[in-house]
Structures are given as C-alpha cells and as structure tokens.
Amino acid sequence: MPELETLLVPVEAAGWRLDQFLAGQLAGVSRSRVQQLVEQGDVLVEGRREKASLKLRGGESIAVHGQQQVTPLEAHAEEIPLEIVYEDEDLAVVNKPAGMMVHAGSGATDEARSGGTLVNALLHRFPTLSSIGGELRPGIVHRLDKDTSGLIVIARNDKTHEALAEMFASRQITKTYQALVHGALPEDGATIQAPISRDSVRRTRMTTRRLDGARNAISHYRVVDRLETRFGPFTQARVRIETGRTHQIRVHMASINHPVVGDTLYGAPAKIVALPLSTTRKAAREVLELGRNFLHSAELQFTHPITGKVVQLESPLPEELESFLARLRETAPPA
C-alpha cells in the first residue's frame, strides 16, 4: 500500500462517519484499523486531525499516511524476566505483572502488538509448551487482563493442557483475587450471579445487560477491610470466581456500582481527588492515581492433573498496590 493516499469525499457520503467511510474505501483495511490510524494522527481531514466519529459533509479531502495494513501477529521468544512460583515437567504457575499482555493482541505498533507478552517470555524460558491454543497462545490455558497481576497456570504439554481445560470448565480449580473497589460494599459477603456478554456498542467492554450470547457468570466476594478516607470510602475484598468470563470481576463489581479502583473502562475515575481539608481555605486538593486496576490473582488451588497432588499457591499484593493501600490508610480519620 502507498505511504500516502488522498481521498475526496463524494457528496453521497455526506453524513457518514469518518471511520465508516474510510473502511469502505481502503481495500482490506478493517474499521478497527482505521480507528487506530485516526487515533495515531495518520488521518488528516483538510489537513486537521479529527475523531473517528466525525460526520462528513461531502467534498472534504482526506489524507491517509503510513502503513494501512498491520503486520500479522506472531509469537517469538524474548528474554523477559519471569517470576515462576511453581514448575514441573507438566505445568508451571507464573506471577504475571500488571502491564504485560498474556499473548499478542492490540497495540499501536508492531512491537506493542506482538512483543513483550507473557507468551514471548514463556517461549524463551521453556523448551516445550502445549500447542492446543495455537501458534499465538502456546501454553495458555486461561488468561489475565493486561492490567491484572498475579497467578496464571501454564501447560507444558498437550495432555496437561486438555486436563487443565477440563478442570477449569468443570470448576475444579479455585481462583481467588484481591480487589479494591470504590464505595462500601453493601454486605460483608455476597454472590453476584449475572450473565456476561460483549457490549454491542463499545466492543472493548463486556456487560451484564441481557444480550444474545450472554454466558452465565458467578463471583463470590468477602470483605477484607473497609476504608473511610479523605478520598472517599473503599472496600478491600477477596473475590472467588466460579466461571472465567472476560473481565468478569470488573464487570460484576461495576454492575453493582462499585467499580474496581483504576478500572476506567468500567467507570472508575483515572484520578481520585481528596476532599478539601478546610471549607474556608482554597488549597490544591490532593490527587491519587494508580495507573492500573487494583485486581490481583492472589490464590490458586487445584489437584495436579498428572500427579494427583494438591497444588495450593499464594501471591502477595505487589508493591504498587500495597503502597496505594498504605497511602489511603494514611488519610483515614483517627479512630
């Protein structure tokens, strides 16, 4: 494809969205890729950057710069440090940091899409991994969101992968997370049972609205601590999930109006502003930012599918989450 392509919007396209028009004009380029180009500033309308949702009038000149097609995703070995908390010849359990994608996916550059992932690190660390997940997902039986940290199980051969997949499907693996949510949860312990499906409008989100294709999802929470702070009330909770739907805990907590701290996709603020210390003085108000979701895969328990032994593992909260909690507690009123 050319590095620069100029298009003239016909009168008949008046009222069309910018991304809709370009997806129909650029051969083999998806609407999501068009939106990515627009966001990167590679699309100029009459020489100006615009939003993908811009309604065209007809007659505009649109310049499309850069590479329209994206390089195919790939999985390649990279020397990336891994914290392995359990390992034998059949499986491993890794403590994934927040910010690391599990496998190749979205990203603004080829490096971001296919590099720096858990799979890249696994391919460098282990001589063999299961192949059932395909070339892009070797060893991957289940996933954690990019901004969720903690324990994730890896299959080192196909026999173990098949057994683990069946154990996940039949709820024989206990997964417990640590979460901090906004507000005061209404009960000290409760179950959220709400089907989850992909949002029909915002495709990066999931929803508990009853749509076609919704799948049953069950989360159990138990309060660990309640915090009253100058930044508002928060609840720290242990959340055990019976099912493993995409964004399950995040969606379930948002559905009861208690989004996970840092989870801006589901309604949490990016910046948490403290209440003023005085109503009479005008002073800068303190702001907290986490930069990730306060969600950590803290405990795993399962019967080893090959040896039959019980595997029980724990991962403490990472330092950035402990520091965030400590900062909140510093602002709690005296007992």
Side-chain angles (χ1 to χ4, degrees), residues 35-55:
Q35 291 169 346
Q36 193 176 60
L37 289 168
V38 172
E39 186 176 346
Q40 291 170 192
D42 290 330
V43 174
L44 300 178
V45 181
E46 299 293 337
R48 299 186 303 273
R49 293 182 62 164
E50 299 285 1
K51 294 182 178 180
S53 59
L54 173 72
K55 291 294 181 66

Side-chain angles (χ1 to χ4, degrees), residues 1 22-34 37 68-69:
M1 298 296 290
L22 288 178
Q25 294 293 310
L26 303 175
V29 180
S30 68
R31 189 162 173 175
S32 61
R33 176 56 178 164
V34 166
L37 289 168
Q68 295 174 17
Q69 302 284 4

Side-chain angles (χ1 to χ4, degrees), residues 175-243:
K175 297 176 288 183
T176 305
Y177 292 71
Q178 287 274 2
L180 184 72
V181 302
H182 285 273
L185 286 171
E187 300 174 71
D188 287 340
T191 295
I192 305 172
Q193 184 164 358
I196 290 175
S197 58
R198 189 162 296 280
D199 193 302
S200 58
V201 177
R202 297 179 62 185
R203 303 297 293 172
T204 58
R205 286 170 48 103
M206 308 301 286
T207 180
T208 55
R209 293 197 302 273
R210 293 189 176 273
L211 302 174
D212 291 342
R215 301 176 69 188
N216 185 44
I218 303 172
S219 304
H220 309 277
Y221 75 76
R222 182 159 295 281
V223 170
V224 174
D225 195 10
R226 296 182 181 274
L227 292 79
E228 292 293 338
T229 77
R230 284 211 319 275
F231 294 90
F234 299 87
T235 307
Q236 185 181 0
R238 295 175 73 255
V239 186
R240 179 173 61 85
I241 57 174
E242 287 193 28
T243 49

Side-chain angles (χ1 to χ4, degrees), residues 40 60 322:
Q40 291 170 192
E60 297 99 327
E322 286 284 13

Side-chain angles (χ1 to χ4, degrees), residues 51-289:
K51 294 182 178 180
S53 59
L54 173 72
K55 291 294 181 66
L56 299 171
R57 303 185 310 276
E60 297 99 327
S61 175
I62 301 176
V64 183
H65 301 262
Q67 182 182 356
Q68 295 174 17
Q69 302 284 4
V70 295
T71 304
L73 297 173
E74 62 174 14
H76 57 271
E78 282 187 75
E79 189 173 358
I80 301 170
L82 279 179
E83 183 185 348
I84 298 171
V85 297
Y86 178 90
E87 177 184 0
D88 61 31
E89 61 184 9
D90 298 302
L91 60 85
V93 178
V94 175
N95 195 21
K96 185 189 84 69
M100 174 185 274
M101 291 195 300
V102 169
H103 54 71
S106 61
T109 65
D110 292 341
E111 183 180 358
R113 295 170 69 244
S114 291
T117 71
L118 177 61
V119 162
N120 298 133
L122 293 172
L123 286 170
H124 182 271
R125 174 63 175 76
F126 295 105
T128 59
L129 293 166
S130 70
S131 61
I132 290 175
E135 292 183 359
L136 295 179
R137 300 173 177 84
I140 302 303
V141 185
H142 67 123
R143 290 180 288 181
L144 293 177
D145 298 336
K146 178 181 178 182
D147 285 330
T148 298
S149 54
L151 302 175
I152 180 169
V153 184
I154 306 301
R156 297 189 61 188
N157 55 64
D158 288 356
K159 179 181 178 181
T160 302
H161 189 129
E162 290 176 340
L164 287 170
E166 174 58 32
M167 291 169 69
F168 274 110
S170 58
R171 305 177 186 179
Q172 297 177 53
I173 297 180
T174 302
K175 297 176 288 183
T176 305
Y177 292 71
Q178 287 274 2
L180 184 72
V181 302
H182 285 273
L185 286 171
E187 300 174 71
D188 287 340
T191 295
I192 305 172
Q193 184 164 358
I196 290 175
S197 58
R198 189 162 296 280
D199 193 302
S200 58
V201 177
R202 297 179 62 185
R203 303 297 293 172
T204 58
R205 286 170 48 103
M206 308 301 286
T207 180
T208 55
R209 293 197 302 273
R210 293 189 176 273
L211 302 174
D212 291 342
R215 301 176 69 188
N216 185 44
I218 303 172
S219 304
H220 309 277
Y221 75 76
R222 182 159 295 281
V223 170
V224 174
D225 195 10
R226 296 182 181 274
L227 292 79
E228 292 293 338
T229 77
R230 284 211 319 275
F231 294 90
F234 299 87
T235 307
Q236 185 181 0
R238 295 175 73 255
V239 186
R240 179 173 61 85
I241 57 174
E242 287 193 28
T243 49
R245 309 305 178 211
T246 301
H247 300 177
Q248 178 171 321
I249 294 174
R250 299 163 60 190
V251 178
H252 273 174
M253 288 303 182
S255 75
I256 60 171
N257 299 315
H258 295 282
V260 171
V261 170
D263 190 4
T264 56
L265 184 63
Y266 290 102
K271 297 181 179 181
I272 308 172
V273 182
L275 295 172
L277 290 171
S278 170
T279 58
T280 59
R281 290 184 301 167
K282 288 187 177 181
R285 293 169 69 177
E286 195 174 356
V287 174
L288 279 182
E289 294 182 69

